[in-house]
Amino acid sequence: MSTTERAYLDWNATAPLRPQARAAMVEALDAVGNPSSVHAEGREARGIVEAARERVAALVGAEPRHVVFTASGTEANMLALSPQTGGRWQRLLVSAIEHPSVRSGGRFPTVEEVAVTAAGVIDLDDLAKRLAAGPQALVSIMLANNETGVLQPIKEAARLVHEAGGLLHVDAVQAAGRIPCDINALEADLLTLSGHKVGGPKGAGALVKRAPLDLHPLVTGGGQERGQRAGTENVAAIAGFGAAAGAAKANLAAESAHMQGLRDRLEAGLRAATPGLIMFGADAVRLPNTTLFALDGLKAETAIIRFDLEEVAVSSGAACSSGKVQPSHVLKAMGVSPALARSAVRVSLGPTSTEGDIERFRTAWITVSGTLLEKSRGMAA
Ligand code: PLP
């Protein structure tokens, strides 16, 4: 389906494939060899993987040999979160707003959560307190939250973690390609990336190290990825990820400014059209592409369907698990009531979003909010 007929405003769920990624993937599909083979065909496939590794490394200022390709951001998070990674870190601290793939704790038996403020920013005092209260910890904090877009103070957290002898893992899945994201500047020890959030294919991810560090492999077998992740590499997906990372890096400043301009206009329009609108994380530093808002009395699940009928793709701040819509754990951690959290709608833009998309959203919102609020007030009367 073409995104031009509709307004696709759910880029935090996944980004459309960049043309450069598509071209690289189509070409790589014809590479016959196994990257582990020594003959010419194998060397050609190896060359494709290593070129992609260089581009992914460059996106975050890392050394190519420190990039471990995985099948998703989720897998990269799982690979990072193991008590055996590096061998010294026996307990896990994660922020209360992490993606479920981090909150589940990976291969740690238990997880300790670090609080966030009402603005959706990690509480550094709580982190310091928890670090001081036990043995050296592996700490996982995201760079940008997928629901609110709020950026986390990674450098300050890194200082606290390192002073306490800990190791810092940063899930940069939503930040990479949208804001500068340099592993050395952030002082992150490990960093997770996902191909499909930067305009590469779904099913490709990477765990990036700042310095040599022995990971505890999740997938064992052959010696691929320097023994850190076994299995014949998905050459085409890796090629697409590499090409997308290259394009994202080359266009970062322009794309970021473009998204921010549109997002700011979208928010101004929303505020003007909607008395009582609540915008989450708006007082914090956020990604340039994300808006999460709520309106008392609105049901997000129904709003999303209505938006879809108006040819607008957005998502709710609520996660659906076992068929039951749960209020977002992110908003809960920020102290938002379950009722208000159930009305949260997320709009996320990308580099090819247009003024037309924003206008379509604005018109749809007037219809959606008008109809649904009338209905819910009618029912309450
Ligand atoms: N981390 C964050 C912050 C995410 O938003 C996502 C996906 O939505 C992931 C990790 C998981 O990435 P993947 O879809 O590649 O498994």
Side-chain angles (χ1 to χ4, degrees):
M1 188 189 308
S2 157
T3 54
T4 53
E5 298 154 17
R6 293 175 42 91
Y8 180 74
L9 300 175
D10 198 12
W11 288 65
N12 287 10
T14 195
L17 198 64
R18 289 182 189 259
Q20 298 91 333
R22 173 188 294 277
M25 289 177 77
V26 169
E27 202 182 322
L29 284 171
D30 284 327
V32 178
N34 183 319
S36 298
S37 300
V38 293
H39 45 59
E41 288 84 352
R43 292 199 307 277
E44 185 198 359
R46 169 61 52 205
I48 294 170
V49 170
E50 296 314 314
R53 198 185 305 281
E54 281 178 21
R55 288 167 146 184
V56 169
L59 181 62
V60 294
E63 287 187 34
R65 70 192 167 100
H66 290 155
V67 172
V68 180
F69 283 121
T70 62
S72 62
T74 296
E75 187 195 322
N77 283 341
M78 283 287 295
L79 179 59
L81 304 186
S82 165
Q84 279 84 32
T85 287
R88 274 172 38 212
W89 300 281
Q90 295 303 316
R91 70 184 175 123
L92 178 66
L93 304 183
V94 312
S95 89
I97 55 168
E98 295 300 312
H99 185 265
S101 58
V102 167
R103 283 183 88 218
S104 67
R107 289 170 283 171
F108 279 85
T110 56
V111 192
E112 209 178 310
E113 280 195 350
V114 181
V116 299
T117 65
V121 181
I122 184 169
D123 180 341
L124 290 170
D125 291 337
D126 191 46
L127 173 63
K129 228 172 15 197
R130 288 176 190 277
L131 284 167
Q136 292 166 324
L138 175 57
V139 179
S140 186
I141 304 171
M142 63 200 338
L143 178 48
N145 182 262
N146 43 306
E147 293 184 22
T148 60
V150 170
L151 305 188
Q152 302 303 313
I154 296 296
K155 264 173 83 163
E156 291 82 345
R159 211 194 55 235
L160 294 173
V161 170
H162 293 146
E163 277 172 10
L167 191 78
L168 180 64
H169 166 252
V170 171
D171 178 342
V173 163
Q174 294 290 347
R178 295 185 180 143
I179 56 167
C181 185
D182 183 290
I183 195 166
N184 292 300
L186 291 168
E187 295 175 30
D189 301 301
L190 291 167
L191 192 131
T192 289
L193 298 173
S194 171
H196 69 105
K197 309 287 184 180
V198 293
K202 299 162 186 72
L207 185 63
V208 185
K209 308 173 198 178
R210 181 157 58 120
L213 179 73
D214 268 339
L215 301 171
H216 185 58
L218 189 58
V219 186
T220 52
Q224 290 92 348
E225 298 300 287
R226 293 187 162 79
Q228 304 277 268
R229 203 275 184 180
T232 300
E233 297 87 343
N234 185 345
V235 178
I238 289 172
F241 183 10
K249 181 172 161 60
N251 301 307
L252 182 66
E255 290 185 352
S256 184
H258 171 73
M259 291 187 282
Q260 178 137 11
L262 290 180
R263 196 272 310 268
D264 290 351
R265 237 162 294 160
L266 180 140
E267 290 191 347
L270 252 178
R271 282 200 166 103
T274 328
L277 187 94
I278 292 153
M279 224 165 253
F280 298 108
D283 296 332
V285 187
R286 282 181 297 162
L287 284 176
N289 78 319
T290 308
T291 294
L292 183 70
F293 67 90
L295 188 58
D296 198 22
L298 193 84
K299 262 211 188 100
E301 314 146 60
T302 324
I304 304 311
I305 296 164
R306 287 295 177 112
F307 267 119
D308 197 33
L309 294 171
E310 299 291 324
E311 311 291 357
V312 175
V314 291
S315 75
S316 77
C320 184
S321 65
S322 25
K324 195 166 168 248
V325 177
Q326 306 283 354
S328 146
H329 71 276
V330 174
L331 292 178
K332 185 171 174 225
M334 290 163 64
V336 176
S337 73
L340 190 60
R342 279 198 181 87
S343 89
V345 174
R346 181 185 70 185
V347 186
S348 51
L349 316 179
T352 59
S353 297
T354 63
E355 292 280 359
D357 292 336
I358 303 305
E359 186 49 31
R360 192 185 278 267
F361 171 82
R362 201 185 63 79
T363 314
W365 170 241
I366 290 168
T367 312
V368 171
S369 59
T371 323
L372 295 185
L373 286 179
E374 216 168 89
K375 224 178 194 175
S376 83
R377 278 167 197 158
M379 277 160 67

